[in-house]
Amino acid sequence: MFTELSEKLEATFARLRGRGVLTDADIKDGLREVRRVLLEADVSFQLTGEFLARVEKRAVGVTQLKSVSPAQQLVKIVYDELTLMLGERKEGLKLSSVPPTVVLMVGLQGSGKTTTSAKLARKLKAEGKATRLVAADVYRPAAIDQLETLGRDLQVPVYADRGTQDVVKIAKAGIEQGKKERDRVVIIDTAGRTQIDDEMMQELRRVKEAVQPDEILLVADGMTGQDAVRIAQGFNDAIGVTGVILTKMDGDARGGAALSIYGVTKKPIKYIGVGEKPDALEEFHPDRMAGRILQ
Ligand code: GDP
């Protein structure tokens, strides 16, 4: 487990062999290695600092255990604390008791919002939950085509209305259709922009007001590291999200963004996107992500 960190810590602590007890200075040496690993994994400075303080507090008391090496003990503490700071439990989609559950997908252009909407629809359909997609990204006509194509491939119905730019109207009509067809879930793909701006947030607020979604899921590009954290904070402050989907985690993103996003928003990461194909969506496991950060 976490070969690199473990080896580094073993090396750091090698000179202590036979002593059995770590001094504060020894722990500081070990934590320096942990710090390096976290920063390399794209965890923010501030969070890294907070994290190390927590680990240090726990590390001081447990160094007397003789059966396990100090390095292993420290790795275990780091892993446990990381898992805790990533949200601890895995959290799926919250379904409303009265169908359809309405899911609003939000995020910047290019984050993978449309693709992820389709991925989520596919997953829900596979679970036996009738799902409808609603194309409310009216400013990018190609997005409507894209969603319709994806829907056709996945055999998931798509509601679209090219006759209007009124996203509230589209969202409401899509949900109405979902009710009529007895869908379990309606996923609304909203418009993104290249950066956070007031106009986008106002529009999202209007849609939120009008449809009272059960979930507002922010789709954020995991490859963008600290930018994703800033974006998550921006969306959460402006409209209040209920969860996050981190995309493009099939790349070499190390997962520090996941830690920071949860750290600043306290909203759970629910899924991760791990490829371009419709089946490339995984549930988020905090413990696995902790492992990835420590790799
Ligand atoms: P939108 O503008 O937010 O709706 O973004 P799109 O859904 O059109 O996605 C933008 C690009 O990212 C497309 O080329 C997608 O195939 C790609 N994409 C989305 N999710 C993932 C992912 O999890 N992994 C990879 N590798 N690519 C992804």
Side-chain angles (χ1 to χ4, degrees):
M1 188 161 70
F2 328 129
T3 337
E4 200 212 358
L5 181 65
S6 300
E7 278 170 8
K8 287 272 159 84
L9 289 176
E10 289 288 0
T12 307
F13 291 141
R15 61 193 163 76
L16 307 173
R17 233 163 245 145
R19 252 217 271 148
V21 179
L22 295 181
T23 65
D24 288 355
D26 301 330
I27 293 170
K28 285 237 152 53
D29 278 352
L31 290 182
R32 228 189 319 273
E33 274 310 320
V34 177
R35 179 174 194 275
R36 189 188 54 78
V37 168
L38 294 182
L39 291 177
E40 268 177 20
D42 229 350
V43 180
S44 70
F45 273 103
Q46 195 199 332
L47 209 61
T48 299
E50 285 169 25
F51 178 77
L52 291 179
R54 288 170 64 148
V55 171
E56 187 172 1
K57 218 189 246 164
R58 272 187 64 186
V60 170
V62 296
T63 48
Q64 314 284 353
L65 276 174
K66 298 243 163 54
S67 54
V68 191
S69 80
Q72 280 167 348
Q73 288 181 53
L74 194 54
V75 168
K76 170 89 170 64
I77 294 171
V78 168
Y79 174 76
D80 288 349
E81 282 294 325
L82 265 184
T83 305
L84 212 64
M85 282 180 85
L86 281 161
E88 202 170 14
R89 292 172 295 127
K90 85 175 165 63
E91 293 202 37
L93 200 68
K94 262 196 211 87
L95 294 172
S96 68
S97 48
V98 184
T101 297
V102 174
V103 182
L104 208 58
M105 303 291 277
V106 303
L108 292 188
Q109 206 172 306
S111 60
K113 196 163 27 59
T114 302
T115 314
T116 306
S117 300
K119 286 177 177 176
L120 195 56
R122 179 194 172 276
K123 182 180 161 49
L124 290 163
K125 188 186 171 209
E127 291 170 3
K129 302 176 182 95
T131 300
R132 178 171 308 270
L133 287 159
V134 177
D137 186 351
V138 291
Y139 309 111
R140 195 166 66 94
I144 302 176
D145 301 341
Q146 190 186 345
L147 202 65
E148 283 184 330
T149 305
L150 287 164
R152 212 166 20 246
D153 290 349
L154 300 170
Q155 293 179 314
V156 170
V158 176
Y159 178 85
D161 181 354
R162 286 178 172 77
T164 177
Q165 293 260 61
D166 183 344
V167 285
V168 169
K169 188 174 162 202
I170 294 171
K172 279 177 145 176
I175 294 168
E176 269 319 302
Q177 183 148 26
K179 277 187 190 151
K180 228 185 285 161
E181 304 286 336
R182 297 181 174 278
D183 290 325
R184 190 72 184 87
V185 185
V186 172
I187 300 172
I188 304 169
D189 181 25
T190 64
R193 288 173 209 266
T194 50
Q195 56 185 16
I196 290 179
D197 63 39
D198 279 351
E199 220 175 308
M200 172 173 61
M201 291 306 176
Q202 270 168 25
E203 178 174 293
L204 289 175
R205 256 185 239 121
R206 279 195 292 119
V207 177
K208 179 185 172 182
E209 267 308 290
V211 308
Q212 302 283 321
D214 301 286
E215 292 264 19
I216 301 178
L217 298 182
L218 170 73
V219 179
D221 183 339
M223 290 294 284
T224 60
Q226 290 306 309
D227 258 355
V229 183
R230 194 180 47 73
I231 290 158
Q233 190 160 23
F235 272 91
N236 195 42
D237 289 350
I239 54 161
V241 306
T242 59
V244 178
I245 301 181
L246 216 49
T247 62
K248 309 185 193 179
M249 294 304 285
D250 47 315
D252 52 12
R254 283 282 302 279
L259 187 72
S260 306
I261 286 175
Y262 185 70
V264 299
T265 64
K266 291 288 173 238
K267 300 297 164 63
I269 295 171
K270 300 208 166 187
Y271 301 97
I272 56 171
V274 292
E276 297 192 67
K277 300 247 164 61
D279 63 350
L281 186 74
E282 291 179 358
E283 276 169 5
F284 178 72
H285 295 271
D287 50 344
R288 284 188 208 161
M289 190 57 75
R292 181 168 175 159
I293 291 170
L294 293 179
Q295 249 163 32

